[in-house]
Amino acid sequence: MSKGLLIVFTGNGKGKTTAALGMAMRAAGHGLRVCFIQFIKGSWRYGELEAVKRFAGLIDLHVMGKGFTWKSENIEDDARLAREAWDFARQAINSNSYQIVVLDEFTYLLHYGMLALDPCLQFLTERNPAQHVVITGRYAPPSLLEAADLVTEMQAVKHPLASGIKAQKGIEF
């Protein structure tokens, strides 16, 4: 049986975006096209931005936010950006141009009410049955987990930050 999967990487541990990037690179290795949409990363410099350039034509990376978060000084503007990013994501999913669409940090938009859960879930469950969609982020709502075909929860067991070791290039960013 072959079908488009709804995949969720969630939990408080590290590795959600990294897992989605690994999946994107695996798909690109098979010649599949991937649209990778980052909803929250903003203008921060991440190593994956440079690495993905090596997959030009197979992985399209779109950084949609300005780093909008629950700590924003202008939550209304951030909610508007979230809606615009979701519109872009729906177009990518409906375009039939990609075999995989990754919605990185998408769960935060649902958790903080920037997007309404039910219409998003309805769209995701009614998408083209061949379209794979990968969603990352903490606080994945139970109804999203129930609708998903594959769910992986990243669990924090130990982190160097707890020992005072700062984020390191190539490891954390």
Side-chain angles (χ1 to χ4, degrees):
M1 182 169 120
S2 179
K3 80 176 235 39
L5 300 176
L6 180 59
I7 299 166
V8 178
F9 297 126
T10 192
N12 292 328
K14 287 198 52 54
K16 297 173 287 291
T17 296
T18 303
L21 282 164
M23 189 171 282
M25 287 188 280
R26 178 185 299 137
H30 287 287
L32 303 177
R33 295 207 58 229
V34 179
C35 182
F36 201 103
I37 304 167
Q38 293 188 310
F39 284 86
I40 292 186
K41 295 294 198 249
S43 60
W44 303 328
R45 295 297 305 155
Y46 284 92
E48 61 255 41
L49 298 176
E50 296 304 314
V52 166
K53 289 179 185 176
R54 297 173 189 218
F55 292 93
L58 290 173
I59 301 176
D60 295 337
L61 177 67
H62 302 275
V63 180
M64 302 301 293
K66 60 175 182 165
F68 50 84
T69 70
W70 51 97
K71 298 178 183 179
S72 174
E73 294 179 14
N74 188 342
I75 198 72
E76 290 304 317
D77 190 46
D78 290 345
R80 179 186 56 76
L81 290 172
R83 288 189 300 273
E84 289 174 8
W86 175 234
D87 288 344
F88 179 85
R90 287 187 309 193
Q91 290 171 14
I93 291 168
N94 282 337
S95 73
N96 294 318
S97 298
Y98 303 99
Q99 284 76 42
I100 300 175
V101 176
V102 177
L103 309 178
D104 187 40
E105 310 286 11
F106 183 71
T107 59
Y108 292 103
L109 280 59
L110 301 172
H111 180 74
Y112 291 104
M114 293 179 174
L115 295 174
L117 173 61
D118 289 340
C120 292
L121 196 55
Q122 181 176 355
F123 174 82
L124 291 167
T125 57
E126 293 176 358
R127 72 190 188 285
N128 176 340
Q131 178 70 63
H132 299 294
V133 175
V134 180
I135 296 174
T136 73
R138 295 179 184 206
Y139 316 119
S143 56
L144 175 62
L145 300 179
E146 185 177 320
D149 300 291
L150 170 64
V151 176
T152 299
E153 183 175 355
M154 309 300 187
Q155 180 181 352
V157 175
K158 187 175 184 179
H159 196 290
L161 188 60
S163 300
I165 301 170
K166 293 184 180 184
Q168 299 178 63
K169 182 170 39 175
I171 303 296
E172 298 283 334
F173 61 94

